[in-house]
Amino acid sequence: MSETHGKFIWCELMTPDTAAAAKFYSSVVGWTTSEMKVEGMPTYTVFQAGGIGVAGLMEFPAELEGQGIPPNWTGYVDVDDVDQSARDFAASGGTVRRPPEDIPTVGRFAVVADPDGAVLCIMTPAPMEQTWPELAFDAPGNIGWRELYSGNGKDALAFYSKLFGWTKDSEMDMGPMGVYYIFAHGGRQTGGMMTKPDNIPMPFWCYYFIVPTLDAAIERVTAGGGKVVHGPMEVPGGSWIIQATDPQGAFFCLVAPKR
């Protein structure tokens, strides 16, 4: 595995109202937007923080209508060989939801699910003539944390460690809620995973967007038509979080260094 294999590199929202979503997240997170055009594909909106692209926005695909899939955020993980990684997912008990295919000038990607059904995208980016700057990992507007609600947290960690090379950074006993496993990529804490509570209908990944202060962001969420479903809550390390849904029903989270 290379140093980039297993690294989260993107996050993408599929929603039925892209204009409303762009307005909502620009207000809540502080992102700006730009349009990206790829030949033969619909116009793609890029969310930027400090002029650097951190996430994307696209219209909910017609082929997914009627399948019970809500508007959602999905993470992209860099892999050395997307075709081989897709085969590895399938061979290890996961599934390939969309076979590998090319996005011209961007890279080759596939949609996969782990053995419990939580969905991710994997991608081998196209070679770039120049290296683009990355946003500081703790900068406002960045994706600050990734969290998996799994069928079994311990088994999920073993699965992703095998496929992506993630390591267990630490674990926390949360009493009746079970053990929370913090995982790392390249020695840096990247996210956490746990066995999902009974009130969560299915395993899934969720993503935490960094904002400077939480209370002001909560006001923007509610003013924009979103809904806070959990929190505010202080987490170990002193940060504050909420979990919420946007006006179209997509689940997202915010994290801030202070209230």
Side-chain angles (χ1 to χ4, degrees):
M1 297 180 182
S2 70
E3 290 184 358
T4 57
H5 183 90
K7 179 182 179 181
F8 276 97
I9 55 173
W10 197 246
C11 203
E12 184 175 82
L13 173 63
M14 296 193 306
T15 182
D17 192 336
T18 55
K23 181 179 178 181
F24 176 80
Y25 287 101
S26 295
S27 169
V28 169
V29 185
W31 287 329
T32 58
T33 60
S34 63
E35 303 300 319
M36 183 176 78
K37 295 185 182 298
V38 176
E39 186 177 350
M41 299 184 69
T43 299
Y44 188 85
T45 299
V46 176
F47 286 119
Q48 296 178 322
I52 298 173
V54 294
L57 169 64
M58 63 179 289
E59 188 170 346
F60 195 88
E63 63 266 23
L64 297 182
E65 296 284 354
Q67 297 187 25
I69 301 172
N72 65 87
W73 283 94
T74 301
Y76 280 70
V77 177
D78 188 312
V79 293
D80 293 336
D81 183 335
V82 72
D83 293 78
Q84 182 60 52
S85 288
R87 290 191 291 268
D88 291 343
F89 259 79
S92 301
T95 55
V96 178
R97 300 291 179 88
R98 182 168 180 166
E101 62 182 278
D102 292 324
I103 303 175
T105 73
V106 176
R108 187 167 175 81
F109 87 107
V111 182
V112 294
D114 66 23
D116 292 314
V119 173
L120 280 172
C121 291
I122 52 177
M123 172 173 274
T124 303
M128 297 292 179
E129 294 182 359
Q130 64 183 94
T131 301
W132 297 100
E134 289 189 18
L135 198 63
F137 75 94
D138 57 351
N142 211 347
I143 291 84
W145 198 249
R146 299 96 183 156
E147 196 163 73
L148 172 64
Y149 289 94
S150 174
N152 182 289
K154 184 176 182 180
D155 290 348
L157 179 61
F159 174 84
Y160 286 105
S161 295
K162 174 185 175 183
L163 270 67
F164 291 153
W166 294 345
T167 57
K168 184 177 77 170
D169 179 88
S170 57
E171 62 181 66
M172 293 183 293
D173 187 342
M174 301 188 297
M177 293 184 67
V179 178
Y180 190 84
Y181 299 94
I182 296 176
F183 65 91
H185 174 264
R188 172 175 287 171
Q189 288 186 359
T190 300
M193 54 184 72
M194 61 180 285
T195 302
K196 71 176 185 64
D198 291 339
N199 65 328
I200 293 179
M202 65 185 68
F204 75 104
W205 281 93
C206 58
Y207 303 89
Y208 288 75
F209 311 133
I210 302 173
V211 292
T213 61
L214 196 62
D215 286 349
I218 291 172
E219 293 180 3
R220 298 193 296 272
V221 169
T222 55
K227 181 181 179 181
V228 177
V229 297
H230 180 69
M233 181 178 75
E234 188 175 13
V235 295
S239 294
W240 287 83
I241 66 166
I242 60 166
Q243 297 176 334
T245 54
D246 69 20
Q248 286 71 49
F251 186 88
F252 71 99
C253 308
L254 298 177
V255 58
K258 57 184 178 180
R259 287 287 299 269

